[in-house]
Amino acid sequence: MQQYVVLQVTLKEKFIGTGSGNLTELEGVINTQAAKGYRLHTISTAAAGSKGFLGGDRIQATLIFERL
């Protein structure tokens, strides 16, 4: 069994308003790994803009989970 799992989630800005439009996706990733016996050890973020049509700011979150 793996001792660590590394995953990335891209948080996208809401089309209307402020904040992230997909925090439930991030929550789902964390809860899925917790159900497998891992805990969130480290989270790192990097901001990136998007120049495409209807693009908004993006935050790339890298999550490191450690087996309990």
Coordinates of all heavy atoms in Angstrom, one line a residue:
M1 N 0.8 -1.2 0.0 CA 0.0 0.0 0.0 C 0.9 1.2 0.0 O 1.9 1.3 0.6 CB -0.9 0.0 1.2 CG -1.9 -1.1 1.3 SD -3.3 -0.7 2.3 CE -4.5 -0.1 1.1
Q2 N 0.4 2.3 -0.7 CA 1.1 3.5 -0.7 C 1.1 4.3 0.6 O 0.0 4.3 1.2 CB 0.5 4.4 -1.8 CG 0.7 3.9 -3.2 CD 0.0 4.8 -4.2 OE1 -1.1 5.2 -4.0 NE2 0.7 5.1 -5.3
Q3 N 2.2 4.9 1.0 CA 2.2 5.7 2.2 C 1.7 7.1 1.9 O 1.1 7.7 2.8 CB 3.7 5.8 2.7 CG 3.8 6.4 4.0 CD 3.2 5.7 5.2 OE1 3.0 4.5 5.1 NE2 2.8 6.4 6.2
Y4 N 1.9 7.6 0.7 CA 1.5 8.9 0.3 C 0.7 8.9 -1.0 O 1.0 8.1 -1.9 CB 2.7 9.9 0.2 CG 3.4 10.2 1.5 CD1 4.4 9.4 1.9 CD2 2.9 11.2 2.3 CE1 5.1 9.6 3.1 CE2 3.6 11.4 3.6 CZ 4.6 10.6 3.9 OH 5.2 10.8 5.1
V5 N -0.2 9.9 -1.2 CA -0.9 10.1 -2.4 C -0.8 11.6 -2.8 O -1.1 12.4 -1.9 CB -2.4 9.6 -2.4 CG1 -3.1 10.0 -3.6 CG2 -2.5 8.1 -2.1
V6 N -0.5 11.9 -4.0 CA -0.4 13.3 -4.4 C -1.5 13.5 -5.5 O -1.5 12.8 -6.5 CB 1.0 13.7 -5.0 CG1 1.0 15.1 -5.4 CG2 2.1 13.4 -3.9
L7 N -2.3 14.5 -5.3 CA -3.4 14.8 -6.2 C -3.4 16.3 -6.5 O -3.0 17.1 -5.7 CB -4.7 14.4 -5.7 CG -4.9 12.9 -5.4 CD1 -6.2 12.7 -4.7 CD2 -4.9 12.1 -6.7
Q8 N -3.9 16.7 -7.7 CA -4.1 18.1 -8.0 C -5.5 18.4 -8.4 O -6.2 17.6 -9.0 CB -3.2 18.5 -9.2 CG -1.7 18.6 -8.8 CD -0.9 19.2 -9.9 OE1 -1.2 18.9 -11.1 NE2 0.1 19.9 -9.6
V9 N -6.0 19.5 -7.9 CA -7.3 20.0 -8.2 C -7.2 21.4 -8.7 O -6.5 22.2 -8.1 CB -8.2 19.9 -6.9 CG1 -9.6 20.5 -7.2 CG2 -8.3 18.5 -6.4
T10 N -7.9 21.7 -9.8 CA -7.9 23.1 -10.3 C -9.2 23.8 -9.8 O -10.3 23.3 -10.1 CB -7.9 23.1 -11.8 OG1 -6.7 22.5 -12.2 CG2 -7.9 24.5 -12.4
L11 N -9.0 24.9 -9.0 CA -10.1 25.6 -8.5 C -10.4 26.8 -9.5 O -9.5 27.5 -9.9 CB -9.8 26.2 -7.2 CG -9.5 25.2 -6.1 CD1 -9.0 25.8 -4.8 CD2 -10.7 24.3 -5.8
K12 N -11.6 26.8 -10.0 CA -12.0 27.8 -11.0 C -12.8 28.9 -10.4 O -13.7 28.7 -9.6 CB -12.7 27.1 -12.2 CG -12.0 26.0 -12.8 CD -12.8 25.2 -13.8 CE -12.1 24.0 -14.3 NZ -12.6 22.8 -13.8
E13 N -12.6 30.1 -10.9 CA -13.4 31.3 -10.4 C -14.8 31.1 -11.0 O -15.0 30.6 -12.1 CB -12.8 32.6 -11.0 CG -13.5 33.8 -10.6 CD -12.8 35.1 -11.2 OE1 -11.7 35.0 -11.7 OE2 -13.5 36.1 -11.1
K14 N -15.8 31.5 -10.1 CA -17.2 31.5 -10.6 C -17.4 32.4 -11.8 O -16.7 33.4 -11.9 CB -18.1 32.0 -9.4 CG -18.3 31.1 -8.3 CD -19.2 31.7 -7.3 CE -19.4 30.8 -6.1 NZ -20.2 31.5 -5.1
F15 N -18.3 32.0 -12.6 CA -18.6 32.8 -13.8 C -19.2 34.2 -13.4 O -18.8 35.2 -14.0 CB -19.6 32.1 -14.7 CG -20.0 32.8 -16.0 CD1 -19.0 33.2 -16.9 CD2 -21.3 33.3 -16.2 CE1 -19.3 33.9 -18.1 CE2 -21.6 34.0 -17.3 CZ -20.6 34.3 -18.3
I16 N -20.0 34.2 -12.4 CA -20.6 35.4 -11.9 C -20.3 35.5 -10.4 O -20.5 34.5 -9.7 CB -22.1 35.4 -12.1 CG1 -22.4 35.4 -13.6 CG2 -22.8 36.6 -11.4 CD1 -23.9 35.3 -13.9
G17 N -19.8 36.6 -9.9 CA -19.5 36.7 -8.5 C -18.1 36.4 -8.2 O -17.3 36.4 -9.1
T18 N -17.8 36.2 -6.9 CA -16.4 36.0 -6.5 C -16.3 34.6 -5.8 O -17.3 34.0 -5.4 CB -15.9 37.0 -5.6 OG1 -16.8 37.1 -4.4 CG2 -15.9 38.4 -6.2
G19 N -15.1 34.1 -5.7 CA -14.9 32.9 -5.0 C -14.8 31.7 -6.0 O -14.9 31.9 -7.2
S20 N -14.5 30.6 -5.5 CA -14.3 29.4 -6.3 C -15.7 28.7 -6.7 O -16.5 28.6 -5.8 CB -13.4 28.4 -5.6 OG -13.3 27.2 -6.4
G21 N -15.8 28.3 -7.9 CA -17.1 27.7 -8.3 C -17.1 26.2 -8.1 O -18.1 25.5 -8.2
N22 N -16.0 25.6 -7.6 CA -16.0 24.1 -7.5 C -15.3 23.7 -6.2 O -14.6 22.7 -6.1 CB -15.3 23.5 -8.7 CG -13.9 23.8 -8.9 OD1 -13.5 24.9 -8.5 ND2 -13.1 22.9 -9.4
L23 N -15.6 24.4 -5.1 CA -15.1 23.9 -3.8 C -15.6 22.6 -3.4 O -14.9 21.8 -2.7 CB -15.4 24.9 -2.7 CG -14.5 26.2 -2.7 CD1 -14.9 27.2 -1.6 CD2 -13.0 25.9 -2.6
T24 N -16.8 22.2 -3.8 CA -17.3 20.9 -3.5 C -16.5 19.8 -4.1 O -16.4 18.7 -3.6 CB -18.8 20.7 -4.0 OG1 -18.9 21.0 -5.4 CG2 -19.7 21.7 -3.2
E25 N -15.8 20.0 -5.3 CA -14.9 19.1 -5.9 C -13.7 18.8 -5.0 O -13.3 17.7 -4.7 CB -14.5 19.5 -7.3 CG -13.5 18.6 -7.9 CD -13.0 19.1 -9.2 OE1 -13.5 20.1 -9.8 OE2 -12.0 18.4 -9.8
L26 N -13.1 19.9 -4.5 CA -12.0 19.8 -3.5 C -12.4 19.1 -2.3 O -11.7 18.2 -1.8 CB -11.5 21.3 -3.2 CG -10.4 21.3 -2.2 CD1 -9.1 20.7 -2.7 CD2 -10.1 22.8 -1.8
E27 N -13.6 19.4 -1.7 CA -14.1 18.7 -0.6 C -14.2 17.2 -0.8 O -13.9 16.4 0.0 CB -15.4 19.3 -0.1 CG -16.0 18.7 1.1 CD -17.3 19.4 1.5 OE1 -18.0 19.9 0.6 OE2 -17.6 19.4 2.7
G28 N -14.8 16.9 -2.0 CA -15.0 15.5 -2.4 C -13.6 14.7 -2.5 O -13.6 13.6 -2.0
V29 N -12.6 15.3 -3.0 CA -11.3 14.7 -3.1 C -10.8 14.4 -1.7 O -10.3 13.3 -1.4 CB -10.3 15.6 -3.9 CG1 -8.9 15.1 -3.7 CG2 -10.7 15.6 -5.4
I30 N -10.9 15.4 -0.8 CA -10.4 15.2 0.6 C -11.2 14.1 1.3 O -10.6 13.2 1.9 CB -10.4 16.5 1.3 CG1 -9.5 17.5 0.7 CG2 -10.1 16.3 2.8 CD1 -9.6 19.0 1.2
N31 N -12.5 14.1 1.2 CA -13.3 13.1 1.8 C -13.1 11.7 1.3 O -13.1 10.7 2.0 CB -14.8 13.5 1.8 CG -15.1 14.6 2.7 OD1 -14.5 14.7 3.8 ND2 -16.0 15.4 2.3
T32 N -12.8 11.6 0.0 CA -12.6 10.3 -0.7 C -11.3 9.7 -0.1 O -11.2 8.5 0.2 CB -12.5 10.4 -2.2 OG1 -13.8 10.9 -2.7 CG2 -12.1 9.1 -2.9
Q33 N -10.2 10.5 0.0 CA -9.0 10.0 0.5 C -9.1 9.7 2.0 O -8.5 8.7 2.5 CB -7.9 11.0 0.2 CG -7.5 11.2 -1.2 CD -7.2 9.9 -1.9 OE1 -6.4 9.1 -1.5 NE2 -7.9 9.7 -3.0
A34 N -9.8 10.5 2.7 CA -10.0 10.2 4.2 C -10.7 8.8 4.3 O -10.4 8.1 5.2 CB -10.9 11.3 4.8
A35 N -11.7 8.5 3.5 CA -12.4 7.3 3.6 C -11.5 6.1 3.2 O -11.7 5.0 3.7 CB -13.6 7.2 2.6
K36 N -10.4 6.3 2.5 CA -9.4 5.3 2.2 C -8.3 5.2 3.3 O -7.4 4.4 3.1 CB -8.7 5.6 0.8 CG -9.7 5.5 -0.3 CD -9.0 5.9 -1.6 CE -9.9 5.9 -2.8 NZ -9.2 6.3 -4.1
G37 N -8.4 6.0 4.3 CA -7.4 5.9 5.4 C -6.3 6.9 5.3 O -5.3 6.7 5.9
Y38 N -6.5 8.0 4.5 CA -5.4 9.0 4.4 C -5.9 10.3 5.1 O -7.1 10.5 5.2 CB -5.1 9.3 2.9 CG -4.4 8.2 2.2 CD1 -5.1 7.2 1.5 CD2 -3.0 8.1 2.1 CE1 -4.5 6.2 0.8 CE2 -2.4 7.1 1.4 CZ -3.1 6.1 0.8 OH -2.5 5.1 0.1
R39 N -4.9 11.1 5.5 CA -5.2 12.4 6.0 C -4.4 13.4 5.2 O -3.4 13.1 4.6 CB -4.8 12.5 7.5 CG -3.3 12.5 7.7 CD -3.0 12.8 9.2 NE -1.5 12.7 9.3 CZ -0.8 13.7 9.7 NH1 -1.3 14.9 9.9 NH2 0.5 13.6 9.8
L40 N -5.0 14.6 5.1 CA -4.4 15.7 4.3 C -3.1 16.1 5.1 O -3.2 16.5 6.2 CB -5.3 16.8 4.1 CG -4.8 18.0 3.3 CD1 -4.4 17.5 1.9 CD2 -5.8 19.1 3.3
H41 N -2.0 15.9 4.5 CA -0.7 16.2 5.1 C -0.3 17.7 4.7 O 0.1 18.4 5.6 CB 0.4 15.2 4.6 CG 1.7 15.4 5.2 ND1 2.6 16.3 4.7 CD2 2.3 14.9 6.3 CE1 3.7 16.3 5.4 NE2 3.6 15.4 6.4
T42 N -0.3 18.0 3.4 CA 0.1 19.3 2.9 C -0.7 19.7 1.8 O -1.2 18.9 1.0 CB 1.6 19.2 2.4 OG1 2.4 18.6 3.5 CG2 2.2 20.5 2.0
I43 N -1.0 21.0 1.7 CA -1.6 21.6 0.5 C -0.8 22.8 0.0 O -0.3 23.6 0.9 CB -3.1 22.0 0.8 CG1 -3.8 22.4 -0.5 CG2 -3.2 23.0 1.9 CD1 -5.3 22.5 -0.4
S44 N -0.6 22.9 -1.3 CA 0.1 24.0 -1.9 C -0.7 24.5 -3.0 O -1.4 23.8 -3.7 CB 1.5 23.4 -2.4 OG 2.1 24.4 -3.2
T45 N -0.7 25.8 -3.2 CA -1.5 26.4 -4.3 C -0.6 27.3 -5.2 O 0.4 27.9 -4.7 CB -2.6 27.3 -3.7 OG1 -2.1 28.3 -2.9 CG2 -3.6 26.4 -3.0
A46 N -1.0 27.4 -6.4 CA -0.3 28.3 -7.4 C -1.4 28.9 -8.2 O -2.3 28.3 -8.7 CB 0.6 27.5 -8.3
A47 N -1.3 30.2 -8.4 CA -2.3 31.0 -9.1 C -1.9 31.1 -10.6 O -0.7 31.2 -10.9 CB -2.5 32.4 -8.6
A48 N -2.9 31.0 -11.5 CA -2.7 31.1 -12.9 C -3.9 31.8 -13.5 O -5.0 31.5 -13.2 CB -2.4 29.8 -13.5
G49 N -3.7 32.7 -14.5 CA -4.8 33.3 -15.2 C -5.1 32.5 -16.4 O -4.4 31.6 -16.8
S50 N -6.3 32.8 -16.9 CA -6.7 32.1 -18.2 C -7.1 33.2 -19.2 O -7.8 34.1 -18.9 CB -8.0 31.2 -17.9 OG -8.5 30.7 -19.1
K51 N -6.6 33.0 -20.4 CA -6.8 34.0 -21.4 C -7.9 33.6 -22.4 O -8.2 34.3 -23.4 CB -5.5 34.3 -22.1 CG -4.5 34.9 -21.2 CD -3.2 35.3 -22.0 CE -2.3 36.0 -21.1 NZ -1.2 35.5 -20.6
G52 N -8.5 32.4 -22.2 CA -9.5 31.9 -23.1 C -10.8 32.6 -23.0 O -11.1 33.4 -22.1
F53 N -11.7 32.3 -23.9 CA -13.1 32.8 -23.8 C -13.8 32.4 -22.5 O -13.7 31.3 -22.2 CB -13.9 32.3 -25.0 CG -15.3 32.8 -25.1 CD1 -15.6 34.1 -25.3 CD2 -16.4 31.9 -24.8 CE1 -16.9 34.6 -25.3 CE2 -17.7 32.3 -24.8 CZ -18.0 33.7 -25.1
L54 N -14.3 33.4 -21.8 CA -15.0 33.2 -20.6 C -14.0 32.6 -19.5 O -14.4 32.0 -18.5 CB -16.2 32.2 -20.7 CG -17.3 32.7 -21.5 CD1 -18.4 31.6 -21.6 CD2 -17.9 34.0 -21.0
G55 N -12.7 32.8 -19.8 CA -11.7 32.4 -18.8 C -11.7 33.2 -17.6 O -12.1 34.4 -17.6
G56 N -11.3 32.7 -16.5 CA -11.2 33.4 -15.2 C -9.9 32.9 -14.6 O -9.2 32.1 -15.1
D57 N -9.6 33.4 -13.4 CA -8.5 33.0 -12.7 C -8.6 31.5 -12.3 O -9.7 31.1 -12.0 CB -8.2 33.9 -11.5 CG -7.8 35.3 -11.9 OD1 -7.2 35.4 -13.0 OD2 -8.0 36.2 -11.1
R58 N -7.5 30.9 -12.2 CA -7.5 29.5 -11.7 C -6.5 29.4 -10.6 O -5.5 30.1 -10.6 CB -7.0 28.6 -12.9 CG -7.8 28.7 -14.1 CD -9.0 27.8 -14.1 NE -9.6 27.6 -15.4 CZ -10.6 28.3 -15.8 NH1 -11.1 29.3 -15.0 NH2 -11.2 28.1 -16.9
I59 N -6.7 28.5 -9.7 CA -5.8 28.1 -8.6 C -5.5 26.6 -8.7 O -6.5 25.9 -8.7 CB -6.3 28.5 -7.2 CG1 -6.5 30.0 -7.1 CG2 -5.4 28.0 -6.1 CD1 -7.1 30.5 -5.9
Q60 N -4.3 26.3 -8.9 CA -3.9 24.9 -8.9 C -3.5 24.4 -7.5 O -2.6 24.9 -7.0 CB -2.7 24.6 -9.9 CG -2.4 23.2 -10.1 CD -3.4 22.5 -11.0 OE1 -4.0 23.1 -11.9 NE2 -3.7 21.3 -10.7
A61 N -4.3 23.6 -6.9 CA -4.0 23.1 -5.6 C -3.4 21.7 -5.7 O -4.0 20.8 -6.3 CB -5.3 23.0 -4.8
T62 N -2.3 21.5 -5.1 CA -1.6 20.2 -5.0 C -1.8 19.7 -3.5 O -1.4 20.4 -2.6 CB -0.1 20.3 -5.3 OG1 0.0 20.9 -6.7 CG2 0.6 19.0 -5.3
L63 N -2.4 18.6 -3.4 CA -2.6 18.0 -2.1 C -1.8 16.7 -1.9 O -1.8 15.9 -2.7 CB -4.1 17.6 -2.0 CG -5.1 18.8 -2.1 CD1 -5.5 19.0 -3.6 CD2 -6.3 18.6 -1.2
I64 N -1.2 16.6 -0.7 CA -0.4 15.4 -0.4 C -1.1 14.8 0.8 O -1.3 15.4 1.9 CB 1.0 15.8 0.0 CG1 1.7 16.5 -1.2 CG2 1.8 14.5 0.4 CD1 3.1 17.0 -0.9
F65 N -1.5 13.5 0.6 CA -2.2 12.8 1.7 C -1.2 11.7 2.2 O -0.5 11.1 1.5 CB -3.4 12.1 1.1 CG -4.5 13.0 0.6 CD1 -4.5 13.5 -0.7 CD2 -5.5 13.5 1.5 CE1 -5.5 14.4 -1.1 CE2 -6.5 14.3 1.1 CZ -6.5 14.8 -0.2
E66 N -1.3 11.5 3.5 CA -0.5 10.5 4.2 C -1.4 9.5 4.8 O -2.4 9.8 5.4 CB 0.3 11.2 5.3 CG 1.2 10.3 6.1 CD 2.0 11.1 7.2 OE1 1.4 12.0 7.8 OE2 3.1 10.8 7.4
R67 N -1.0 8.2 4.7 CA -1.7 7.1 5.3 C -1.6 7.2 6.8 O -0.6 7.4 7.4 CB -1.2 5.7 4.8 CG -2.0 4.6 5.4 CD -1.8 3.3 4.7 NE -2.2 3.2 3.4 CZ -3.5 3.1 3.0 NH1 -4.5 3.1 3.9 NH2 -3.8 3.0 1.7
L68 N -2.8 7.0 7.4 CA -2.8 7.1 8.9 C -2.2 5.8 9.5 O -2.2 4.8 9.0 CB -4.2 7.2 9.4 CG -4.9 8.5 9.0 CD1 -6.4 8.5 9.5 CD2 -4.2 9.7 9.7

